[in-house]
Amino acid sequence: MSAQFGADTLDPLPHDTVLGDAGHLLATTGHAQPALFAFEVALHRLVRSLGVTPDHLLGHSIGSLAAAHAAGVLSLPDACRLVAARARLMQALPEGGAMVALQAGEDEVLPLLAGAEDRVALAAVNGPRSVVVSGEESAVLDVTARIEALGRRTKRLRVSHAFHSPLMDPVLDEFRQVAAALTYHEPRIPTISDVTGEPAAPGELTDPEHWVRHVRQTVRFHDGVRALEALGVRRTLEIGPDATLTALVTDSLAAPADTAAVALLRPGHDDTDALLAGLARAHAHGADVDWAALTPRPAHAVELPTYPFQRQRHWPSAGRRTADLAAAGLAATGHPLLGARVDLPDGGGHLFTSRLSLADQPWLADHA
Protein backbone atom coordinates (compact mmCIF):
# COMPACT_ATOMS: atom_id res chain seq x y z
CA MET A 1 0.00 0.00 0.00
CA SER A 2 1.11 3.53 -0.73
CA ALA A 3 0.17 6.74 1.05
CA GLN A 4 0.14 10.08 -0.77
CA PHE A 5 0.38 13.38 1.07
CA GLY A 6 -1.34 16.31 -0.64
CA ALA A 7 0.10 19.53 -1.94
CA ASP A 8 0.75 23.48 -1.44
CA THR A 9 6.91 31.06 11.87
CA LEU A 10 7.48 28.57 14.37
CA ASP A 11 4.61 30.27 16.19
CA PRO A 12 1.88 27.77 17.04
CA LEU A 13 -0.90 27.71 14.48
CA PRO A 14 -4.26 28.61 16.09
CA HIS A 15 -6.77 25.76 16.15
CA ASP A 16 -9.39 27.94 14.45
CA THR A 17 -7.03 28.63 11.56
CA VAL A 18 -7.20 24.98 10.54
CA LEU A 19 -10.61 23.82 11.73
CA GLY A 20 -12.61 26.89 12.64
CA ASP A 21 -14.02 30.02 11.03
CA ALA A 22 -10.69 31.65 10.19
CA GLY A 23 -10.36 29.76 6.93
CA HIS A 24 -9.58 32.99 5.07
CA LEU A 25 -6.11 32.84 6.62
CA LEU A 26 -5.44 29.67 4.65
CA ALA A 27 -5.44 31.75 1.48
CA THR A 28 -1.94 32.88 2.48
CA THR A 29 0.87 30.38 2.03
CA GLY A 30 2.36 31.37 5.39
CA HIS A 31 -0.64 29.76 7.07
CA ALA A 32 -1.61 27.20 4.42
CA GLN A 33 1.65 25.23 4.42
CA PRO A 34 1.85 24.67 8.20
CA ALA A 35 -1.88 23.90 8.28
CA LEU A 36 -1.59 21.27 5.55
CA PHE A 37 1.46 19.72 7.19
CA ALA A 38 -0.23 19.55 10.60
CA PHE A 39 -3.43 18.16 9.13
CA GLU A 40 -1.67 15.47 7.10
CA VAL A 41 0.58 14.35 9.96
CA ALA A 42 -2.43 14.10 12.28
CA LEU A 43 -4.44 12.13 9.72
CA HIS A 44 -1.49 9.82 9.08
CA ARG A 45 -1.16 9.10 12.79
CA LEU A 46 -4.89 8.47 13.10
CA VAL A 47 -4.82 5.99 10.23
CA ARG A 48 -1.73 4.27 11.68
CA SER A 49 -3.56 3.94 15.03
CA LEU A 50 -6.28 2.02 13.18
CA GLY A 51 -3.80 -0.53 11.91
CA VAL A 52 -3.26 0.82 8.38
CA THR A 53 0.47 0.99 7.71
CA PRO A 54 2.01 2.10 4.39
CA ASP A 55 4.63 0.12 2.48
CA HIS A 56 5.63 3.17 0.41
CA LEU A 57 5.20 6.94 0.68
CA LEU A 58 4.83 9.65 -1.94
CA GLY A 59 4.19 13.35 -1.38
CA HIS A 60 3.14 16.25 -3.57
CA SER A 61 4.92 19.57 -2.89
CA ILE A 62 4.42 20.44 0.81
CA GLY A 63 3.04 16.92 1.26
CA SER A 64 6.53 15.57 0.68
CA LEU A 65 7.64 17.07 3.98
CA ALA A 66 4.77 15.28 5.74
CA ALA A 67 5.82 12.08 3.97
CA ALA A 68 9.44 12.63 5.02
CA HIS A 69 8.39 12.92 8.66
CA ALA A 70 6.14 9.86 8.37
CA ALA A 71 9.08 7.92 6.92
CA GLY A 72 11.34 8.96 9.81
CA VAL A 73 13.62 11.25 7.77
CA LEU A 74 12.84 14.21 10.04
CA SER A 75 11.70 14.34 13.63
CA LEU A 76 8.49 16.26 14.23
CA PRO A 77 10.30 19.34 15.63
CA ASP A 78 12.77 19.43 12.72
CA ALA A 79 10.03 18.86 10.15
CA CYS A 80 8.06 21.72 11.69
CA ARG A 81 11.12 23.98 11.50
CA LEU A 82 11.58 23.20 7.83
CA VAL A 83 7.89 23.70 7.01
CA ALA A 84 7.73 26.93 9.01
CA ALA A 85 10.80 28.35 7.27
CA ARG A 86 9.47 27.35 3.87
CA ALA A 87 6.13 29.02 4.55
CA ARG A 88 7.62 32.15 6.15
CA LEU A 89 10.14 32.77 3.38
CA MET A 90 7.64 32.22 0.59
CA GLN A 91 5.10 34.48 2.30
CA ALA A 92 7.73 37.23 2.52
CA LEU A 93 8.21 37.23 -1.25
CA PRO A 94 6.31 39.88 -3.23
CA GLU A 95 2.87 38.67 -4.18
CA GLY A 96 2.16 38.15 -7.84
CA GLY A 97 2.93 35.67 -10.49
CA ALA A 98 0.49 33.04 -11.61
CA MET A 99 -0.01 29.29 -11.73
CA VAL A 100 -2.22 27.64 -14.36
CA ALA A 101 -3.16 23.99 -14.77
CA LEU A 102 -3.10 22.89 -18.39
CA GLN A 103 -4.61 19.95 -20.22
CA ALA A 104 -1.38 19.09 -21.97
CA GLY A 105 1.59 16.78 -21.74
CA GLU A 106 5.05 17.71 -20.56
CA ASP A 107 6.52 17.22 -24.02
CA GLU A 108 3.99 19.71 -25.45
CA VAL A 109 4.61 22.42 -22.87
CA LEU A 110 8.38 22.41 -22.52
CA PRO A 111 8.99 23.84 -26.04
CA LEU A 112 6.62 26.69 -25.18
CA LEU A 113 8.89 27.70 -22.29
CA ALA A 114 12.01 27.96 -24.44
CA GLY A 115 13.67 31.36 -24.12
CA ALA A 116 11.63 32.31 -21.04
CA GLU A 117 13.08 29.88 -18.49
CA ASP A 118 14.00 32.80 -16.21
CA ARG A 119 10.34 33.87 -16.08
CA VAL A 120 8.23 30.71 -16.24
CA ALA A 121 8.70 27.04 -15.36
CA LEU A 122 6.95 23.71 -15.36
CA ALA A 123 5.78 23.57 -11.75
CA ALA A 124 4.20 20.12 -11.74
CA VAL A 125 3.65 17.09 -13.94
CA ASN A 126 0.52 15.58 -12.43
CA GLY A 127 -0.50 13.20 -15.20
CA PRO A 128 0.11 12.25 -18.81
CA ARG A 129 -1.97 15.25 -19.94
CA SER A 130 -2.02 17.36 -16.79
CA VAL A 131 0.70 19.89 -15.98
CA VAL A 132 1.00 23.18 -14.13
CA VAL A 133 3.04 26.18 -15.29
CA SER A 134 4.18 28.84 -12.86
CA GLY A 135 6.03 32.15 -12.95
CA GLU A 136 5.57 35.73 -14.04
CA GLU A 137 1.94 36.34 -14.94
CA SER A 138 2.53 37.56 -18.49
CA ALA A 139 4.73 34.60 -19.35
CA VAL A 140 2.33 32.09 -17.79
CA LEU A 141 -0.68 33.58 -19.58
CA ASP A 142 1.18 33.51 -22.88
CA VAL A 143 1.74 29.75 -22.53
CA THR A 144 -1.87 29.36 -21.41
CA ALA A 145 -3.20 31.15 -24.50
CA ARG A 146 -1.21 28.89 -26.79
CA ILE A 147 -2.64 25.79 -25.12
CA GLU A 148 -6.18 27.21 -25.26
CA ALA A 149 -5.70 27.82 -28.99
CA LEU A 150 -5.41 24.03 -29.33
CA GLY A 151 -8.86 23.63 -27.78
CA ARG A 152 -7.52 22.39 -24.45
CA ARG A 153 -8.84 23.14 -20.98
CA THR A 154 -6.94 25.48 -18.64
CA LYS A 155 -7.57 26.56 -15.06
CA ARG A 156 -5.88 29.36 -13.17
CA LEU A 157 -5.04 28.30 -9.63
CA ARG A 158 -5.94 30.50 -6.69
CA VAL A 159 -2.52 30.97 -5.09
CA SER A 160 -0.74 33.89 -3.49
CA HIS A 161 2.63 33.13 -5.08
CA ALA A 162 4.06 31.31 -8.09
CA PHE A 163 5.50 28.18 -6.45
CA HIS A 164 8.14 25.94 -8.07
CA SER A 165 9.15 28.75 -10.41
CA PRO A 166 12.00 31.25 -10.85
CA LEU A 167 10.11 33.60 -8.53
CA MET A 168 11.19 31.34 -5.64
CA ASP A 169 14.91 31.91 -6.28
CA PRO A 170 15.36 34.82 -3.80
CA VAL A 171 14.53 32.58 -0.79
CA LEU A 172 16.73 29.61 -1.63
CA ASP A 173 19.92 30.74 0.16
CA GLU A 174 18.18 31.47 3.45
CA PHE A 175 16.12 28.30 3.21
CA ARG A 176 19.35 26.36 2.60
CA GLN A 177 20.71 27.63 5.92
CA VAL A 178 17.66 26.33 7.78
CA ALA A 179 17.72 22.96 6.00
CA ALA A 180 21.44 22.51 6.72
CA ALA A 181 20.91 22.98 10.48
CA LEU A 182 18.53 20.01 10.82
CA THR A 183 19.17 16.34 11.61
CA TYR A 184 18.21 13.79 8.98
CA HIS A 185 17.81 10.00 9.06
CA GLU A 186 17.46 7.43 6.32
CA PRO A 187 13.75 6.68 5.72
CA ARG A 188 12.34 3.68 7.56
CA ILE A 189 9.61 3.40 4.91
CA PRO A 190 10.57 3.39 1.21
CA THR A 191 9.77 6.85 -0.14
CA ILE A 192 9.37 8.18 -3.67
CA SER A 193 10.97 11.56 -4.29
CA ASP A 194 8.63 13.96 -6.06
CA VAL A 195 11.72 15.83 -7.28
CA THR A 196 12.91 12.86 -9.37
CA GLY A 197 9.74 10.76 -9.54
CA GLU A 198 11.84 7.75 -8.53
CA PRO A 199 12.44 5.79 -5.31
CA ALA A 200 14.75 7.90 -3.16
CA ALA A 201 18.32 6.63 -3.23
CA PRO A 202 20.36 6.27 -0.01
CA GLY A 203 21.48 9.71 1.12
CA GLU A 204 19.05 11.56 -1.14
CA LEU A 205 16.43 12.62 1.39
CA THR A 206 19.06 13.25 4.07
CA ASP A 207 20.82 15.82 1.87
CA PRO A 208 19.65 19.36 2.76
CA GLU A 209 20.19 20.36 -0.87
CA HIS A 210 17.40 17.97 -1.87
CA TRP A 211 14.90 20.09 0.06
CA VAL A 212 16.27 23.28 -1.47
CA ARG A 213 15.75 21.85 -4.97
CA HIS A 214 12.32 20.72 -3.82
CA VAL A 215 11.24 24.37 -3.41
CA ARG A 216 12.24 25.28 -6.94
CA GLN A 217 12.01 22.26 -9.20
CA THR A 218 9.11 20.49 -10.90
CA VAL A 219 6.86 18.25 -8.82
CA ARG A 220 7.03 14.94 -10.69
CA PHE A 221 3.94 13.30 -9.20
CA HIS A 222 3.01 11.47 -12.40
CA ASP A 223 6.40 9.78 -12.52
CA GLY A 224 6.13 8.94 -8.83
CA VAL A 225 2.81 7.15 -9.34
CA ARG A 226 4.22 5.15 -12.23
CA ALA A 227 7.21 4.24 -10.03
CA LEU A 228 4.84 2.91 -7.36
CA GLU A 229 2.99 0.91 -9.99
CA ALA A 230 6.28 -0.60 -11.17
CA LEU A 231 7.01 -1.59 -7.55
CA GLY A 232 3.78 -3.59 -7.46
CA VAL A 233 1.70 -1.16 -5.40
CA ARG A 234 -1.99 -1.91 -5.97
CA ARG A 235 -3.63 0.18 -3.23
CA THR A 236 -3.15 3.89 -2.53
CA LEU A 237 -4.54 6.08 0.23
CA GLU A 238 -4.67 9.86 -0.03
CA ILE A 239 -3.67 11.42 3.29
CA GLY A 240 -5.04 14.92 2.95
CA PRO A 241 -8.14 17.14 3.14
CA ASP A 242 -9.57 16.29 -0.29
CA ALA A 243 -9.51 13.78 -3.15
CA THR A 244 -7.37 15.66 -5.69
CA LEU A 245 -4.44 13.24 -5.67
CA THR A 246 -6.71 10.20 -5.91
CA ALA A 247 -7.98 11.41 -9.29
CA LEU A 248 -4.40 12.12 -10.39
CA VAL A 249 -3.32 8.61 -9.40
CA THR A 250 -6.03 7.04 -11.53
CA ASP A 251 -5.06 9.18 -14.53
CA SER A 252 -1.37 8.36 -14.17
CA LEU A 253 -1.59 4.57 -13.90
CA ALA A 254 -0.81 2.42 -16.89
CA ALA A 255 -3.41 -0.13 -15.70
CA PRO A 256 -5.88 1.78 -13.47
CA ALA A 257 -8.25 -1.17 -13.20
CA ASP A 258 -5.56 -3.07 -11.28
CA THR A 259 -5.15 -0.45 -8.55
CA ALA A 260 -7.58 0.81 -5.91
CA ALA A 261 -7.07 4.54 -5.29
CA VAL A 262 -8.87 5.68 -2.14
CA ALA A 263 -9.35 9.17 -0.70
CA LEU A 264 -9.88 9.25 3.04
CA LEU A 265 -11.61 12.64 3.11
CA ARG A 266 -13.82 14.46 0.62
CA PRO A 267 -14.91 18.11 0.56
CA GLY A 268 -18.58 18.56 1.34
CA HIS A 269 -18.80 15.27 3.26
CA ASP A 270 -18.79 14.70 7.00
CA ASP A 271 -15.18 13.91 7.92
CA THR A 272 -16.02 10.93 10.14
CA ASP A 273 -18.33 9.39 7.55
CA ALA A 274 -15.82 9.97 4.75
CA LEU A 275 -12.96 8.49 6.77
CA LEU A 276 -14.93 5.36 7.68
CA ALA A 277 -16.09 4.94 4.08
CA GLY A 278 -12.52 5.35 2.84
CA LEU A 279 -11.19 2.80 5.32
CA ALA A 280 -13.98 0.42 4.32
CA ARG A 281 -13.05 0.76 0.63
CA ALA A 282 -9.40 0.14 1.46
CA HIS A 283 -10.39 -2.88 3.57
CA ALA A 284 -12.51 -4.26 0.73
CA HIS A 285 -9.36 -4.14 -1.43
CA GLY A 286 -7.25 -6.02 1.08
CA ALA A 287 -5.96 -3.42 3.53
CA ASP A 288 -5.75 -4.46 7.17
CA VAL A 289 -7.91 -2.23 9.38
CA ASP A 290 -8.19 -2.60 13.15
CA TRP A 291 -11.95 -2.18 13.30
CA ALA A 292 -12.02 -3.01 17.02
CA ALA A 293 -10.14 0.25 17.66
CA LEU A 294 -13.19 2.13 16.33
CA THR A 295 -15.75 0.50 18.64
CA PRO A 296 -16.60 1.99 22.05
CA ARG A 297 -16.74 -1.46 23.68
CA PRO A 298 -15.20 -4.86 22.94
CA ALA A 299 -16.37 -6.26 19.64
CA HIS A 300 -16.08 -9.65 18.00
CA ALA A 301 -15.87 -10.60 14.37
CA VAL A 302 -18.82 -12.27 12.68
CA GLU A 303 -18.11 -14.91 10.07
CA LEU A 304 -19.41 -14.00 6.63
CA PRO A 305 -19.63 -16.13 3.49
CA THR A 306 -16.28 -16.58 1.81
CA TYR A 307 -17.80 -15.95 -1.62
CA PRO A 308 -19.01 -12.62 -3.04
CA PHE A 309 -22.63 -11.79 -2.37
CA GLN A 310 -24.72 -12.81 -5.39
CA ARG A 311 -27.27 -10.05 -4.73
CA GLN A 312 -30.26 -12.21 -5.66
CA ARG A 313 -33.59 -11.35 -4.02
CA HIS A 314 -35.63 -14.18 -2.55
CA TRP A 315 -38.56 -12.23 -1.11
CA PRO A 316 -41.90 -13.66 -2.28
CA SER A 317 -43.65 -11.35 -4.66
CA ALA A 318 -47.36 -10.69 -4.40
CA GLY A 319 -49.25 -12.61 -7.04
CA ARG A 320 -52.27 -11.27 -8.86
CA ARG A 321 -53.82 -14.62 -9.66
CA THR A 322 -56.34 -16.30 -7.42
CA ALA A 323 -54.98 -19.52 -5.93
CA ASP A 324 -56.68 -22.95 -6.11
CA LEU A 325 -59.85 -22.07 -4.20
CA ALA A 326 -61.22 -25.59 -4.13
CA ALA A 327 -58.28 -26.80 -2.04
CA ALA A 328 -59.34 -24.33 0.65
CA GLY A 329 -63.02 -25.28 0.46
CA LEU A 330 -63.88 -22.19 -1.54
CA ALA A 331 -65.53 -21.67 -4.88
CA ALA A 332 -64.84 -19.01 -7.48
CA THR A 333 -67.64 -16.53 -8.05
CA GLY A 334 -66.64 -15.36 -11.49
CA HIS A 335 -67.35 -11.84 -10.24
CA PRO A 336 -64.60 -9.17 -10.51
CA LEU A 337 -65.25 -7.87 -6.98
CA LEU A 338 -66.68 -10.70 -4.88
CA GLY A 339 -63.66 -12.99 -5.18
CA ALA A 340 -64.08 -16.40 -3.47
CA ARG A 341 -67.33 -17.86 -2.07
CA VAL A 342 -68.06 -20.29 0.75
CA ASP A 343 -71.57 -21.54 1.53
CA LEU A 344 -72.49 -21.03 5.18
CA PRO A 345 -73.67 -24.21 7.00
CA ASP A 346 -76.79 -22.65 8.55
CA GLY A 347 -78.33 -22.60 5.09
CA GLY A 348 -79.04 -19.96 2.55
CA GLY A 349 -76.09 -17.68 3.26
CA HIS A 350 -72.78 -17.10 1.49
CA LEU A 351 -69.51 -15.52 2.62
CA PHE A 352 -67.43 -13.73 0.03
CA THR A 353 -63.72 -13.02 0.47
CA SER A 354 -61.89 -10.66 -1.83
CA ARG A 355 -59.14 -8.05 -2.06
CA LEU A 356 -59.53 -4.70 -3.68
CA SER A 357 -56.43 -2.96 -4.93
CA LEU A 358 -55.42 -0.48 -7.57
CA ALA A 359 -53.06 -3.10 -8.99
CA ASP A 360 -56.02 -5.34 -9.90
CA GLN A 361 -58.72 -2.71 -10.39
CA PRO A 362 -56.99 0.53 -11.44
CA TRP A 363 -60.34 2.12 -12.23
CA LEU A 364 -60.96 2.41 -8.48
CA ALA A 365 -58.67 5.41 -8.45
CA ASP A 366 -61.32 7.33 -10.33
CA HIS A 367 -63.88 6.72 -7.55
CA ALA A 368 -62.03 8.08 -4.54
Side-chain angles (χ1 to χ4, degrees):
M1 175 180 293
S2 159
Q4 286 94 34
F5 293 81
D8 330 24
T9 158
L10 288 180
D11 296 334
L13 202 63
H15 178 276
D16 285 348
T17 299
V18 182
L19 301 176
D21 297 328
H24 62 281
L25 294 176
L26 297 182
T28 63
T29 195
H31 289 92
Q33 292 189 49
L36 279 170
F37 174 81
F39 188 93
E40 290 165 1
V41 169
L43 182 57
H44 169 73
R45 293 191 177 186
L46 173 61
V47 171
R48 288 290 295 264
S49 74
L50 299 176
V52 181
T53 57
D55 300 311
H56 300 272
L57 296 168
L58 168 64
H60 189 295
S61 195
I62 188 65
S64 289
L65 279 79
H69 166 64
V73 174
L74 289 164
S75 67
L76 185 58
D78 275 355
C80 288
R81 291 186 183 96
L82 196 62
V83 171
R86 193 179 193 270
R88 173 178 56 81
L89 291 170
M90 289 184 181
Q91 184 63 51
L93 287 169
E95 291 191 6
M99 298 183 73
V100 178
L102 308 176
Q103 184 191 25
E106 179 180 7
D107 57 343
E108 294 179 284
V109 174
L110 284 178
L112 304 181
L113 309 182
E117 291 88 350
D118 60 336
R119 301 171 56 224
V120 62
L122 192 64
V125 180
N126 291 327
R129 287 170 60 82
S130 177
V131 303
V132 177
V133 291
S134 176
E136 293 182 8
E137 184 175 28
S138 60
V140 170
L141 295 183
D142 178 63
V143 174
T144 301
R146 296 166 75 176
I147 293 297
E148 289 176 340
L150 299 176
R152 310 287 184 78
R153 294 193 302 273
T154 66
K155 179 181 180 180
R156 183 161 180 168
L157 306 183
R158 293 187 299 173
V159 293
S160 59
H161 296 77
F163 307 114
H164 300 283
S165 82
L167 275 62
M168 297 290 106
D169 289 345
V171 306
L172 297 184
D173 287 341
E174 188 173 349
F175 185 71
R176 181 178 289 108
Q177 296 176 20
V178 177
L182 305 179
T183 301
Y184 300 87
H185 309 274
E186 288 295 334
R188 295 190 295 268
I189 302 173
T191 302
I192 307 295
S193 166
D194 69 334
V195 174
T196 65
E198 298 290 340
E204 183 176 355
L205 300 183
T206 59
D207 181 2
E209 199 62 30
H210 169 85
W211 299 106
V212 177
R213 294 195 304 272
H214 184 264
V215 170
R216 175 66 174 81
Q217 293 187 9
T218 304
V219 176
R220 307 204 67 85
F221 186 77
H222 169 61
D223 296 330
V225 172
R226 296 298 291 268
L228 288 172
E229 188 176 26
L231 290 169
V233 171
R234 295 296 177 263
R235 294 187 300 269
T236 69
L237 288 180
E238 180 171 352
I239 307 295
D242 56 36
T244 302
L245 296 187
T246 297
L248 296 179
V249 166
T250 302
D251 291 342
S252 294
L253 293 168
D258 297 336
T259 298
V262 176
L264 291 180
L265 295 178
R266 294 180 178 276
H269 294 73
D270 178 80
D271 286 347
T272 301
D273 292 344
L275 176 64
L276 293 177
L279 290 173
R281 285 193 295 272
H283 178 70
H285 287 92
D288 293 325
V289 180
D290 182 9
W291 295 111
L294 288 166
T295 58
R297 47 184 175 276
H300 63 279
V302 177
E303 292 295 329
L304 294 175
T306 55
Y307 54 86
F309 290 140
Q310 301 301 308
R311 300 186 182 278
Q312 296 179 8
R313 292 177 57 85
H314 296 282
W315 292 105
S317 58
R320 295 187 181 182
R321 289 187 174 183
T322 304
D324 182 4
L325 300 178
L330 305 175
T333 64
H335 190 281
L337 297 179
L338 297 181
R341 185 194 82 237
V342 61
D343 297 331
L344 298 177
D346 55 359
H350 306 282
L351 176 66
F352 298 93
T353 303
S354 185
R355 179 185 66 185
L356 301 180
S357 74
L358 294 179
D360 294 325
Q361 292 92 21
W363 53 270
L364 289 173
D366 296 331
H367 298 267

